Amino acid sequence: MSKAMARLAPRTSVAPERLKTLLPSLKPTIYHDPGANKTPNNIRTIAWNPLGTYIATGCLDKTLRVWNADKPNVRQTTELKGHAASIEKVAFNPVKELELCSVSSDGVVRFWDVKTKQVLNEVKGLGDTFTLAWAPHGECVVVGNKDDKLFVISPSQSTPIAIHQQSMQTNDITFCWSGQRIFTTTGDGKTRILSFPDFEPAYKFDYKEGPDAEFKLTGHTSSCMAIELHPFNRYLATGGTDSLISLWETGEWNCVRTATKMAGPVRSLSFSWDGLYLVGGSDEGSGLEIFNSETGEHLCTYKTTTASPIVAWAPNRYALAYADGGNLRVIGASTGGK
């Protein structure tokens, strides 16, 4: 464990002026899968494990693969076989090194032990599922389908613990770090803050009645697609089909900054390990947009060959995983350096 823990040792943050010049000059490591479909949108989802040593990718062509971050060769990967439809979302258990949850569009959720390739649990019949969030202590996941049902699922039970029908289009979900709140983004551009596990509005206006009394974050003129919580809970970031990223401070829930440099709809958001930087992925344009989360300033564009809708910072260093031209690519891939 000492080697793994060494990777979690405190690292020095890089100043914005330095990152601005350094990042665009870095060459990506390409994780090439010769058997995978090379259509630009084949990779649907990317996730790092908690130690930043492995990266999982889920694809339209049903390929579910776990890459060793240090070894881009496909022969050094673990392929997890069995899904019969597009893999829409993958995420590692936040408190285990190699337990992965995968969600496919045919309503199947699987939990895997990546080391043994064993399926630890499978839940079926959930409809057209596409969203996934782990509770921060790893005791359950919340999975959403396109009929706006949210399922609470245990890694060890073959049926959902609970099912919550939502009254509006629900696109993305994430937990707060305490596990007592869940944030959901909606088709009307708003973000709901719900208590967990009962899915009731966390805040209400005293002077309003019924559904109107629920306090929501109103930050987008059209559908809100992506959501990400700052690693130290300073901000909640939301991204919409209006190409805007909104940053909300988590005390009074005011929108403190809006980033406007995205080329198209915001499909994914990710904070760097220290929370200083925010990256946005879009299915338009040809670059990753990097922002200073403290000021909202657009720092730089990392050029890509195709649009890169899926992007994720490593949890413990400045390594950035993204989908480009049908391949996984990582900037700053080595686990040894900063």
Side-chain angles (χ1 to χ4, degrees):
M1 191 59 191
S2 59
K3 193 174 177 191
M5 292 310 290
R7 291 197 172 105
L8 293 178
R11 296 186 179 278
T12 311
S13 290
V14 171
E17 289 310 307
R18 172 99 176 102
L19 191 92
K20 198 174 178 173
T21 52
L22 180 68
L23 197 72
S25 68
L26 296 176
K27 291 272 185 290
T29 300
I30 300 171
Y31 295 70
H32 179 55
D33 183 352
N37 186 323
K38 283 296 164 283
T39 52
N41 64 347
N42 185 43
I43 295 178
R44 304 285 294 160
T45 175
I46 293 171
W48 292 86
N49 77 327
L51 295 175
T53 47
Y54 291 91
I55 310 162
T57 53
C59 299
L60 206 56
D61 67 8
K62 309 170 204 168
T63 308
L64 174 57
R65 196 175 287 287
V66 180
W67 300 79
N68 183 324
D70 282 336
K71 296 169 183 167
N73 191 316
V74 75
R75 289 196 295 274
Q76 308 275 356
T77 67
T78 302
E79 187 175 354
L80 302 172
K81 294 180 177 175
H83 275 296
S86 167
I87 294 151
E88 294 297 307
K89 204 80 175 186
V90 292
F92 283 93
N93 185 326
V95 298
K96 293 188 179 174
E97 187 185 3
L98 283 172
E99 184 182 305
L100 181 73
C101 182
S102 57
V103 172
S104 59
S105 60
D106 59 351
V108 175
V109 174
R110 285 185 161 191
F111 296 86
W112 307 81
D113 179 332
V114 175
K115 273 197 176 131
T116 63
K117 301 191 189 180
Q118 186 186 350
V119 178
L120 303 171
N121 186 31
E122 183 176 70
V123 183
K124 294 179 175 177
L126 303 179
D128 191 350
T129 41
F130 73 111
T131 60
L132 164 68
W134 275 97
H137 308 300
E139 71 278 13
C140 66
V141 296
V142 174
V143 170
N145 72 14
K146 296 211 171 152
D147 294 322
D148 308 313
K149 278 185 181 153
L150 297 179
F151 302 91
V152 182
I153 295 170
S154 158
S156 58
Q157 285 174 234
S158 60
T159 54
I161 300 167
I163 303 170
H164 295 273
Q165 178 67 57
Q166 302 301 286
S167 58
M168 58 195 74
Q169 181 187 322
T170 302
N171 298 321
D172 197 11
I173 45 182
T174 196
F175 274 87
C176 80
W177 299 123
S178 73
Q180 296 172 351
R181 298 267 187 276
I182 191 162
F183 305 101
T184 70
T185 68
T186 68
D188 61 358
K190 297 182 172 65
T191 298
R192 300 182 74 200
I193 307 172
L194 304 174
S195 59
F196 187 83
D198 53 7
F199 287 76
E200 293 297 325
Y203 307 104
K204 287 187 173 181
F205 293 108
D206 295 338
Y207 56 88
K208 291 183 180 178
E209 297 288 325
D212 290 344
E214 181 183 342
F215 172 75
K216 299 173 189 170
L217 307 181
T218 306
H220 300 276
T221 54
S222 56
S223 194
C224 186
M225 302 299 291
I227 190 161
E228 182 84 355
L229 186 61
H230 186 280
F232 307 120
N233 205 44
R234 281 173 66 79
Y235 306 110
L236 183 73
T238 59
T241 54
D242 55 5
S243 309
L244 297 179
I245 297 170
S246 297
L247 279 163
W248 308 83
E249 52 83 15
T250 56
E252 300 290 323
W253 294 111
N254 293 314
C255 182
V256 287
R257 283 175 264 300
T258 304
T260 57
K261 282 282 186 186
M262 296 296 291
V266 183
R267 295 291 171 192
S268 59
L269 291 167
S270 184
F271 282 101
S272 58
W273 62 275
D274 52 8
L276 285 183
Y277 305 109
L278 179 67
V279 62
S282 175
D283 42 22
E284 291 178 19
S286 57
L288 306 175
E289 305 300 344
I290 318 287
F291 301 91
N292 181 335
S293 67
E294 293 297 324
T295 64
E297 178 198 357
H298 178 254
L299 286 176
C300 59
T301 302
Y302 186 87
K303 287 287 177 203
T304 55
T305 56
T306 62
S308 294
I310 312 298
V311 59
W313 283 105
N316 53 359
R317 64 188 188 283
Y318 292 121
L320 196 48
Y322 61 104
D324 186 7
N327 285 313
L328 169 69
R329 299 183 182 217
V330 180
I331 313 158
S334 168
T335 51
K338 284 184 185 149

